[in-house]
Amino acid sequence: MVTNTEKLDAAVLEVFKNASTPSIATLLYKRGLRTNFVQGVSRLGGDRPNMVGQAFTLRYIPAREDLNQLEVFKDPEHPQRVAVETVPEGHVLVMDCRGDASAASAGGILAKRLEYRGCAGIVTDGGLRDTREISKLRLPAYCAAASAPTNLTKHHAIDLNVPIGCGTAPVFPGDLVVGDADGVIIVPLHMASEIAAEIQDMEAFEAFVLDEVAEGSSIIGLYPPSAETRARFEACSKKQ
């Protein structure tokens, strides 16, 4: 288990509460990162604010019948239970289920406990059960599918706060996790501050472009911008 992880500044986290995953994906692409979007997961519930927090990870391996009877949940050291009780406030619990959504990785009771403890969200490339109840929580939750079978059916919880893969995305403890209506993206911890510094200008420019397009402008010379377009945007920004 990784125990010493840099804590991101609150101002950096605040920037990402208003950032979109498409913009983040583009900035990561510019830095050579192609696989940081968590594939195959979607948000439970309706429209809600961005999910933003650092990653606390739980890794599952395929279940083995002799090791995964219901009695294992009586063990206070069971990794899934320990994860729920130790994920730091403001962090996102990210679970590696090998992309197998045929069984749940957590359910409504654990999600409610995570909400009470101040967890910033749940992301799993497996299933979640009790999705009707989870979708009503303040806790953001992303999963590959609703799935009624208990995690013990397919998943054996094995490691906490270690590097994992979730929906083909590499996730290291402490990485920044951002979720919106489009999905979830992972920002490497060491890149979070520099992307935060760049993304506000990027999204302000895209809002300018949308206004221009709404007025009938062609995207040629607008997106990406010509020198003239960039100058008009900067002049407009100064006025505001």
Side-chain angles (χ1 to χ4, degrees), residues 41-99:
V41 306
S42 56
R43 185 172 63 191
L44 296 179
D47 192 28
R48 58 178 68 208
N50 278 11
M51 175 184 70
V52 178
Q54 291 181 253
F56 185 91
T57 65
L58 170 61
R59 183 170 74 94
Y60 287 101
I61 63 172
R64 204 176 76 185
E65 288 78 3
D66 61 321
L67 298 177
N68 288 274
Q69 301 301 312
L70 284 173
E71 288 75 17
V72 301
F73 285 145
K74 295 179 181 178
D75 179 4
E77 298 303 314
H78 186 273
Q80 185 207 50
R81 266 40 183 181
V82 174
V84 170
E85 294 297 333
T86 61
V87 57
E89 182 178 359
H91 281 54
V92 176
L93 178 60
V94 185
M95 293 178 274
D96 173 5
C97 292
R98 313 165 316 282

Side-chain angles (χ1 to χ4, degrees), residues 118-228:
C119 180
I122 304 172
V123 181
T124 175
D125 62 359
L128 288 175
R129 66 200 306 200
D130 309 317
T131 54
R132 183 177 181 183
E133 289 78 9
I134 294 174
S135 66
K136 295 177 182 178
L137 299 177
R138 297 186 309 276
L139 178 79
Y142 292 78
C143 66
S147 189
T150 175
N151 68 301
L152 300 173
T153 310
K154 290 291 184 73
H155 308 307
H156 177 80
I158 193 74
D159 276 327
L160 288 177
N161 227 27
V162 295
I164 62 169
C166 184
T168 73
V171 186
F172 287 77
D175 281 349
L176 180 63
V177 184
V178 181
D180 63 10
D182 285 334
V184 176
I185 197 158
I186 309 298
V187 181
L189 178 59
H190 70 280
M191 291 185 179
S193 294
E194 66 178 77
I195 287 178
E198 187 175 344
I199 199 165
Q200 290 177 300
D201 180 72
M202 177 182 178
E203 295 206 322
F205 174 71
E206 292 195 350
F208 168 80
V209 168
L210 281 172
D211 288 343
E212 293 277 302
V213 170
E215 294 296 324
S217 296
S218 167
I219 61 169
I220 306 303
L222 179 65
Y223 191 72
S226 64
E228 179 186 354

Side-chain angles (χ1 to χ4, degrees), residues 6-25:
E6 176 189 343
K7 187 175 181 180
L8 283 171
D9 187 88
V12 172
L13 296 174
E14 193 65 29
V15 169
F16 285 100
K17 289 180 181 179
N18 297 299
S20 72
T21 58
S23 293
I24 297 167

